[in-house]
Amino acid sequence: PDDLDQELEIDIYQVIVENLDTEDEFSIFLPDTETLVTVPSEFIVDGTDYKYEVLAISANGNQTIVETWFCVDSGGVPGTLCADPDPD
Protein backbone atom coordinates (compact mmCIF):
# COMPACT_ATOMS: atom_id res chain seq x y z
CA PRO A 1 0.00 0.00 0.00
CA ASP A 2 1.03 3.57 -0.68
CA ASP A 3 0.60 4.67 2.94
CA LEU A 4 3.57 2.53 4.11
CA ASP A 5 5.94 5.25 2.88
CA GLN A 6 4.29 7.95 5.03
CA GLU A 7 6.16 9.19 8.09
CA LEU A 8 4.54 8.31 11.40
CA GLU A 9 3.49 11.41 13.32
CA ILE A 10 3.48 10.89 17.06
CA ASP A 11 0.80 12.88 18.86
CA ILE A 12 1.43 11.84 22.47
CA TYR A 13 3.51 9.44 24.55
CA GLN A 14 2.40 7.39 27.52
CA VAL A 15 4.99 6.13 30.02
CA ILE A 16 4.01 3.39 32.46
CA VAL A 17 6.36 2.21 35.24
CA GLU A 18 5.31 -0.87 37.22
CA ASN A 19 6.78 -2.06 40.53
CA LEU A 20 7.10 -5.82 39.89
CA ASP A 21 6.81 -6.65 43.60
CA THR A 22 3.62 -4.73 44.41
CA GLU A 23 2.22 -4.22 40.87
CA ASP A 24 1.76 -0.51 41.71
CA GLU A 25 1.93 1.67 38.59
CA PHE A 26 3.01 5.18 37.76
CA SER A 27 1.55 6.40 34.46
CA ILE A 28 1.86 9.72 32.67
CA PHE A 29 0.94 11.14 29.26
CA LEU A 30 3.47 13.45 27.60
CA PRO A 31 3.34 15.67 24.53
CA ASP A 32 5.42 14.59 21.56
CA THR A 33 7.97 17.32 22.36
CA GLU A 34 8.98 15.77 25.72
CA THR A 35 12.04 13.53 25.89
CA LEU A 36 12.36 13.11 29.66
CA VAL A 37 10.11 12.10 32.53
CA THR A 38 10.96 11.93 36.23
CA VAL A 39 9.39 9.17 38.27
CA PRO A 40 8.49 10.46 41.76
CA SER A 41 11.01 9.33 44.39
CA GLU A 42 8.11 8.11 46.56
CA PHE A 43 7.41 5.45 43.92
CA ILE A 44 10.97 4.09 43.77
CA VAL A 45 11.89 1.45 46.38
CA ASP A 46 15.44 0.22 47.00
CA GLY A 47 16.12 -3.37 45.94
CA THR A 48 13.11 -3.49 43.63
CA ASP A 49 12.67 -4.51 39.99
CA TYR A 50 10.56 -2.36 37.68
CA LYS A 51 9.10 -2.78 34.23
CA TYR A 52 8.48 0.26 32.09
CA GLU A 53 6.64 0.79 28.85
CA VAL A 54 6.69 3.70 26.45
CA LEU A 55 3.73 3.97 24.10
CA ALA A 56 3.98 6.25 21.08
CA ILE A 57 0.44 7.16 20.06
CA SER A 58 -0.27 8.71 16.66
CA ALA A 59 -3.10 11.10 15.87
CA ASN A 60 -5.03 8.29 14.12
CA GLY A 61 -4.89 6.13 17.27
CA ASN A 62 -2.19 3.69 16.19
CA GLN A 63 0.17 2.72 19.00
CA THR A 64 3.73 1.43 19.13
CA ILE A 65 5.05 0.13 22.43
CA VAL A 66 8.50 -0.60 23.84
CA GLU A 67 8.92 -2.47 27.12
CA THR A 68 11.97 -3.22 29.26
CA TRP A 69 13.07 -3.61 32.88
CA PHE A 70 15.39 -1.94 35.36
CA CYS A 71 16.59 -2.55 38.92
CA VAL A 72 17.08 -0.14 41.79
CA ASP A 73 20.10 -1.08 43.89
CA SER A 74 20.28 -0.79 47.66
CA GLY A 75 21.53 2.79 47.33
CA GLY A 76 18.43 3.94 45.47
CA VAL A 77 20.33 4.48 42.23
CA PRO A 78 19.03 2.91 39.02
CA GLY A 79 21.23 -0.09 38.26
CA THR A 80 21.84 -2.22 35.25
CA LEU A 81 19.06 -3.91 33.34
CA CYS A 82 17.64 -6.89 35.21
CA ALA A 83 17.41 -10.35 33.81
CA ASP A 84 14.00 -10.65 32.16
CA PRO A 85 11.66 -11.41 35.12
CA ASP A 86 9.06 -12.87 32.75
CA PRO A 87 10.94 -14.85 30.08
CA ASP A 88 7.71 -16.15 28.56
Side-chain angles (χ1 to χ4, degrees):
D2 293 333
D3 62 348
L4 291 180
D5 294 328
Q6 294 178 352
E7 186 175 320
L8 178 63
E9 293 186 30
I10 302 302
D11 199 37
I12 195 166
Y13 291 99
Q14 181 179 13
V15 178
I16 303 167
V17 181
E18 179 184 356
N19 178 318
L20 293 177
D21 292 338
T22 65
E23 297 184 5
D24 290 339
E25 287 187 354
F26 167 79
S27 178
I28 189 169
F29 287 92
L30 302 166
D32 64 338
T33 55
E34 290 292 322
T35 59
L36 179 69
V37 64
T38 300
V39 177
S41 60
E42 298 83 12
F43 185 78
I44 301 297
V45 178
D46 289 352
T48 302
D49 295 333
Y50 293 87
K51 175 177 74 173
Y52 71 93
E53 304 169 352
V54 178
L55 289 84
I57 305 168
S58 66
N60 68 3
N62 285 342
Q63 298 182 8
T64 300
I65 187 169
V66 175
E67 176 182 281
T68 193
W69 293 261
F70 68 93
C71 305
V72 176
D73 68 18
S74 60
V77 178
T80 58
L81 290 177
C82 302
D84 185 345
D86 185 19
D88 298 323

